[in-house]
Every structure is written in structure tokens, then in C-alpha cells.
Amino acid sequence: MTAHRFDSTVLREYDIRGIVGQTLREADARALGRAVGTVVRRRGGSRVAVCYDGRLSSPDMEAALVDGLSACGVTALRIGMGPTPQLYFAVHHLDADGGVMVTGSHNPPDYNGFKIVIGKQAVFGEDIQAFGSLAAAGDFEAGEAAPEDHDVFEAYIERLLQDFDGPSDLKIAWDAGNGAAGPAMRKLAERLPGEHILLFDDVDGTFPNHHPDPTVPRNLEALKEKVLQEGCDLGLAFDGDGDRIGALDNEGRPLWGDQMMLLLARDVLKERPGATIIADVKASQILFDGISELGGRPLMWKTGHSLIKAKMLEESAPFAGEMSAHLFFADRFYGHDDALYAAVRLLNALGTWGGSLAAFRDSLPQVVNTPELRFPCPEERKKPVIEEVRSRLAAAGAEVDATDGVRVREGQGWWLLRASNTQDVLVARCEAPDEESLARLRASLDEQLSLSGITSKEH
Ligand SMILES: [Zn+2]
């Protein structure tokens, strides 16, 4: 195979993603197969697990990817269609030397992409760019291998159920949003005790009911209606490829990533007192303070699921998560973000809590916060603006955390400004005990933005 160039927008920080037929084609999938196969061969490996999501373009992309792997002499272990965490599970279960997931995650139907594991670790940053360099140079290993079919579905469901010790009388509404988690969600619900109501569990790559992104409130409307109508104890939802979870309490109100984490942290810290728990800079102060109160060691880290995963390994943290609702368990599990596994642990944690999910939600300190605010900013200005804001605040004696952008404590609240890893925007969030303080924080943020010439009128 000769050299291949990927569209310049396709190789991103955490994954590979493009618009099918425009920036991403089967030729890209084939070249990626060769590049991944080459890296695996050069590390002494020979077997790579492959899985694909429910998008219309996914089967063809998978076939081209498998072609590329085979042409390197790497055996593709094809596990068929499933959510991303099923691929991660297969890498462990089949003891593969890597894995590739064909998925457009929660993006619109015309998108697709790839998430890659080398050895047992998710690949990100420069290692993703390296696939592009190998392809551009046509620097590929050559060989011949026949793909193998492997059915890991039952083993995967068994593994999820293995750690269930929650209440047996829960009534639960589930929503897969017609994403790839549907069949596993259905099987899991079937095998769990209690009463289960399933929504949109058929895989349909056109996403006819709602977009499979449970961090957006309007995508939880149907689930909310079911929870209220049927008097459920909770509602659970999954994103298009099953690595992010959404939850509604028994009153139909969402629990965001940091709120779910605090409930889950109670269980983790009971078994592992003093453990380190990692959350990204977008998470509420309530979470970090709550972890401390439970006797744990809270650690704030950079946003981005690959970065969180890497930090988790470095710190031997049993549990980590993001506001975007990627939840990672190394406690009893493999350390990756599996939303179905997180659902099982959430049921356990609800049992430990003993009350309703609404009561848990109401037990948290009340705060008001802004949604994620996004401000357009040219790529080359992103880092300088953050640096300018940081040094102005430092000069003024403000309490600034520079883990990822600037996170500033002001009074009883805080605000965050960081550069998006994936888009030409600055991202901000403010949180305060009341509306009045929130308005003050928002004014501080706006002032800093305008001092750096960024228009603070929201994107
Ligand atoms: Zn996802």
C-alpha cells in the first residue's frame, strides 16, 4: 500500500473523527488499519480486537479497517456490533494486543470515527498523530493474516453483572437512544432483579427518537416522562457508543456527572478508605469537598477522557470521572469508562445510600451554576489568552488553580476558563451559592475576557 494522507481535521486529540464521504472514507479506515497494525507489530503484538457502533456507515468502515490490519499480518478479532466499552472489555477478555472501535460516539448520524487502544491503554495526543505520520510515509509493515470472529457478548454481560449487589426491588427506566448500547442494555436489564422499562433499545443509526447524548437535557425528555408516568426509582440513559451515562432521579431531575460521582464515591471510599478520586476541572467544588468529607483524597485534573485515564493509572486511583459523564472504575474493574458498568455501580450506590435518589440530590449543598459557556477564539490566541488571564489574576493575588486553564476561587464560588482541546473556543463555567454571587463571578469572567480582546457575548 502506498502512502496515505488523512484530512487535516480528522486526527484529533482523543480520537479520529470525520464526516463520512467528505473528510472520512473507507480508504482512511484501511490506512488506519495498516498504521495501527504496524504499531502493534513493532511492539511485538499480533492480535487486535475490532468492534463497531450502530451507525449506517460503520460496517463498511469496519471491513476496510480489518483489511488494513490483515495486510499487516495482524489478526483482527472481530466482535461485531456493540458499545465502545464492549471493545475495551474484549481487549482484556481476549488478551489482545490492542483494539479499534469504529464509532462516531454522540455526533450527528453522518459522522464516524475511531477510538484506539494499544496494549491495554487508550491512545491520545501525539500517538494519534503518529498514525498520520506512518501513513504519510507509507511506512507500513506487510504480512498476511485471516480475521477471526469472536462472540464476547455473553461474557461481557456476565462481567457487568458480577459486581451487582444493589437492591432487588428497583423500578428502572432505561434509554439507549437507539445507540450501540441498546442490546447490552436490554440484556443487562433482563438479568437484573426489579422492574424494567426500556426505551429506544433498538439500534438505529439514524437516531429517530432523540440524539444519543444524555448530557443534553432535551435528550432526556422521553426518559423523564417514563420515570414520572411509571413512578420509577430512577432513569438511566447512554450515549451513542455507551461510554457516557445519564441519570434521572425519581422526580425526573437529572444528576450530572459530578453529582453521580459523589454518590458513587461513597461506595468506593467505604471499601478503600483514603483513596484518591479524580475529577476534571469542570466539576463542582461540592464534589471535591464531598470526597474530602468522606475521607478520600480529591484530585482535580485536566478535562479529556484519555488524560483522566492516564492520571488515574499514575495515581493508582480506583475511581475517576468527568462532568461529561465518562466514569472510570479501576475499583473491581479495568479502569476504563463503561457506562453500563457505571449503571450497575450506581444501583449498588443507591442501595448503600438507602433513600431515594431525589433525597440524595436534595442532600447536596444547593448551588447555582452557568451551563458550559463557549467563546469563539482563534486557535493561536487560545493559549496566550489563558496565560494573560492567569498572570493578571496572579498579580491581583487571586486564588488560581492552573491545572487546565484557570480555575479561580472567589468568595464561596469559582469560575473556570480553559481552552477547548477540540474546537476554536474558550470554555467557561461559573458556580456560586446564589444568583447574586453568580452574577458577580460572571462579571469577573467577562472583564478578563474583554481585557484580552475576547468578546464575552456568548457563542
Ligand atoms: Zn461516547
Side-chain angles (χ1 to χ4, degrees), residues 84 103 105-106 115 239-244 326:
T84 296
T103 178
S105 189
H106 58 277
K115 291 180 180 173
D239 83 332
D241 68 328
D243 58 5
R244 295 190 302 136
H326 287 278

Side-chain angles (χ1 to χ4, degrees), residues 330-352:
D331 173 51
R332 297 197 249 161
F333 203 58
Y334 307 98
H336 60 247
D337 41 345
D338 183 328
L340 292 152
Y341 183 75
V344 167
R345 297 291 297 255
L346 209 55
L347 300 181
N348 293 351
L350 187 55
T352 312

